């Protein structure tokens, strides 16, 4: 069950920073000699930005005159919000867009760590059931080159989606697609993979409203895709979906073919997940999570090509089935619905827009400064009309005195070495 990781150049940081709490005494490498000079404005290779990258020429929102035709009726009163991330050498940018403003994209917060140089910041995010907060795990992409840093080296923060206020947490967690895992309420689960001789997975409950970390739950072996439910933590094991109690004991909730993935807690207290069948087929299934020790009742919701289906979460425990899979259930459970969006799309919180790509672009006629925030093209599909739309977004730095300024402050997971 290897997590998806990138490969990149080694990281270089300032003297004296030590990653604490999550990884056992991992000291980040020193920057030898004097600080490197700022790269010139034409150092495109440093930014991984080839000349073929498209120019950022699209509008930042759906033009006012086109909103009814693109978004459908009622967009003015919609409370829907789209959330996405983009990463560059400046940091991991959290971007939001509201339907009532024609999905005008803006930078809510930028996450980075002072003293750590990175050619690109990467990360994963989930949004709580209320839609009020995002939990983000972020790091320089070079951290994925080191086993310890990939397993327990991701900086972790909560971002208020109304104010942009950032609360960095005193813990470092796994850099993998399944971490963090949000539930249908305000709870989330953070994962720390086992490393080296530590053949244990550590699961940490998080109350996103208070930023309080719960007691760490250590489980022998490897678990992935942990999510919170009203009846406890549910995670993916080899050949089964399991429930994990406070002592780290796991009990089978449902037997599966291979390792289940894409776990999503729904509004009815169940968990929707995918499992692979054969070489290239898959099913989307759902298990109830009863109280006590009983196994769940399992039903199959859809079937199709492995690369042709996906599961995504929205506000209030809504779960969306995307892609071209064939629905097999005569009636989907409450809170679960199909969405006419391609595999890999990130639906907005109410599912009226699906972000299909966030790709780095370039400003026409402008030279490239790889150390600055880079423009991005956001491609999406309006679900009501099926219309595709592209936005151009240039992430902006947080105001130093504003609530998002903490996104660039030193994480409490870092301590200064003597």
């Amino acid at each position: 069950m290897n997590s998806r990781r990138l490969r990149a150049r080694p990281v270089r940081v300032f003297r004296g920073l030590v990653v604490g709490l999550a990884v056992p005494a991992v000291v980040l490498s020193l920057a030898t000699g004097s600080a490197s000079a700022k790269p010139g404005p034409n150092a495109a290779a440093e930014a991984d930005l080839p000349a073929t990258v498209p120019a950022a020429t699209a509008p930042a929102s759906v033009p006012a005159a086109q909103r009814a035709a693109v978004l459908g009726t009622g967009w003015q009163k919609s409370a829907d919000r789209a959330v996405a991330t983009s990463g560059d050498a400046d940091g991991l940018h959290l971007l939001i867009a509201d339907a009532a403003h024609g999905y005008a994209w803006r930078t809510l917060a930028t996450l980075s760590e002072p003293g750590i140089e990175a050619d690109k910041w990467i990360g994963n995010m989930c949004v709580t059931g209320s839609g009020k907060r995002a939990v983000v795990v972020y790091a320089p992409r070079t951290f994925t080159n080191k086993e310890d840093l990939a397993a327990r080296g991701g900086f972790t923060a909560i971002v208020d989606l109304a104010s942009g206020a950032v609360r960095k947490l005193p813990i470092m967690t796994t850099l993998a697609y399944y971490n963090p895992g949000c539930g249908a309420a305000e709870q989330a689960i953070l994962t720390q993979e086992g490393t080296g001789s530590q053949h244990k997975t550590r699961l940490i409950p998080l109350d996103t409203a208070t930023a309080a970390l719960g007691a760490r739950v250590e489980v022998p072996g490897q678990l992935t895709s942990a999510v919170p439910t009203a009846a406890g933590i549910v995670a993916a094991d080899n050949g089964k979906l399991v429930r994990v109690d406070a002592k780290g004991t796991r009990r089978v909730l449902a037997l599966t073919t291979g390792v289940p993935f894409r776990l999503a807690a729904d509004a009815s207290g169940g968990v929707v997940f995918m499992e692979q069948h054969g070489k290239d087929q898959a099913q989307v299934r759902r298990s109830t999570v009863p109280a006590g020790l009983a196994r769940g009742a399992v039903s199959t919701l859809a079937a199709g090509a492995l690369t042709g289906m996906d599961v995504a979460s929205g506000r209030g425990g809504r779960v969306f089935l995307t892609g071209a899979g064939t629905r097999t259930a005569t009636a989907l459970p409450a809170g679960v619905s199909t969405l006419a969006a391609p595999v890999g799309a990130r639906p907005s919180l109410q599912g009226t827009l699906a972000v299909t790509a966030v790709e780095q672009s370039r400003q026409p006629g402008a030279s490239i400064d790889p150390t600055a925030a880079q423009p991005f093209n956001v491609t999406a599909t309006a679900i009501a009309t099926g219309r595709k739309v592209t936005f151009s977004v240039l992430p902006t730095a947080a105001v130093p005195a504003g609530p998002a300024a903490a996104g660039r402050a030193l994480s409490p997971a870092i301590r200064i070495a003597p």
Side-chain angles (χ1 to χ4, degrees):
M1 295 194 291
N2 293 328
S3 57
R4 301 176 186 176
R5 294 169 180 160
L6 301 174
R7 307 295 294 180
R9 295 187 300 276
V11 70
R12 188 172 69 176
V13 303
F14 290 164
R15 181 185 303 274
L17 293 184
V18 180
V19 178
L21 298 181
V23 282
V26 176
V27 181
L28 303 185
S29 59
L30 299 179
T32 58
S34 60
S36 59
K38 182 178 180 180
N42 295 318
E46 288 293 320
D48 293 332
L49 191 61
T52 55
V53 168
T57 57
S61 66
V62 177
Q66 302 176 21
R67 289 176 185 175
V70 173
L71 303 179
T73 59
W75 61 268
Q76 304 96 324
K77 298 181 179 180
S78 173
D80 194 23
R81 168 172 285 175
V83 186
T85 59
S86 64
D88 51 34
D90 185 52
L92 183 71
H93 310 289
L94 190 65
L95 312 171
I96 63 170
D98 295 323
H101 297 98
Y103 289 107
W105 288 90
R106 58 190 176 92
T107 308
L108 187 66
T110 296
L111 300 172
S112 61
E113 293 300 320
I116 298 183
E117 297 179 5
D119 67 336
K120 183 175 183 179
W121 289 83
I122 62 170
N124 301 296
M125 171 195 68
C126 68
V127 177
T128 61
S130 67
K132 295 180 178 179
R133 302 172 184 87
V135 184
V136 188
V137 177
Y138 63 100
R141 65 173 173 176
T142 47
F143 275 30
T144 59
N145 292 346
K146 301 291 186 180
E147 181 182 1
D148 284 348
L149 293 177
R152 298 190 178 188
F155 301 102
T156 309
I158 302 170
V159 181
D160 187 298
L161 293 182
S163 68
V166 176
R167 299 183 69 172
K168 294 189 175 182
L169 303 176
I171 191 170
M172 302 185 75
T173 60
T174 298
L175 291 166
Y177 74 91
Y178 55 78
N179 181 54
C182 291
E186 294 307 293
Q187 302 297 313
I189 300 296
L190 304 174
T191 299
Q192 293 177 335
E193 285 184 354
T195 61
S197 60
Q198 299 182 22
H199 301 298
K200 293 182 178 180
T201 299
R202 183 180 291 169
L203 305 176
I204 305 97
L206 170 64
D207 184 334
T208 65
T210 64
L213 296 169
R216 290 150 173 76
V217 179
E218 287 199 342
V219 186
Q222 187 175 20
L223 295 180
T224 62
S225 305
V227 294
T229 73
I233 299 173
V234 174
D237 201 348
N238 189 11
K240 46 191 172 289
L241 193 70
V242 297
R243 179 182 5 215
V244 182
D245 65 19
K247 296 181 179 180
T249 302
R250 47 186 159 191
R251 292 180 172 86
V252 176
L253 193 63
L255 295 176
T256 64
T257 302
V259 180
F261 57 100
R262 295 297 188 199
L263 273 62
D266 64 31
S268 301
V271 172
V272 179
F273 60 95
M274 291 182 65
E275 62 180 30
Q276 184 172 349
H277 287 261
K279 182 179 180 180
D280 56 4
Q281 296 296 301
Q283 290 185 347
V284 177
R285 308 182 74 194
R286 178 184 184 270
S287 175
T288 60
V289 188
L293 305 179
R295 291 193 179 187
V298 182
S299 57
T300 301
L301 307 182
L306 175 64
T307 57
M309 298 186 302
D310 205 355
V311 173
S313 297
R315 176 185 284 148
R318 297 185 67 177
V319 176
F320 303 109
L321 310 184
T322 64
T326 302
R327 203 177 93 179
T328 59
T330 55
L332 293 175
V336 180
S337 60
T338 57
L339 198 68
V343 169
R346 179 184 286 277
S348 55
L349 300 186
Q350 294 182 187
T352 60
L353 188 82
V355 175
T356 55
V358 180
E359 300 173 307
Q360 195 167 330
S361 58
R362 58 184 173 83
Q363 293 177 291
S367 58
I368 299 168
D369 180 355
T371 65
Q374 302 297 320
F376 286 82
N377 284 339
V378 178
T379 305
T381 299
I383 300 303
T385 64
R387 296 276 294 272
K388 293 183 179 180
V389 61
T390 299
F391 309 90
S392 288
V393 186
L394 177 61
T396 55
V399 179
R408 298 185 185 275
L410 189 68
S411 170
I414 293 180
R415 59 184 172 85
I416 304 302

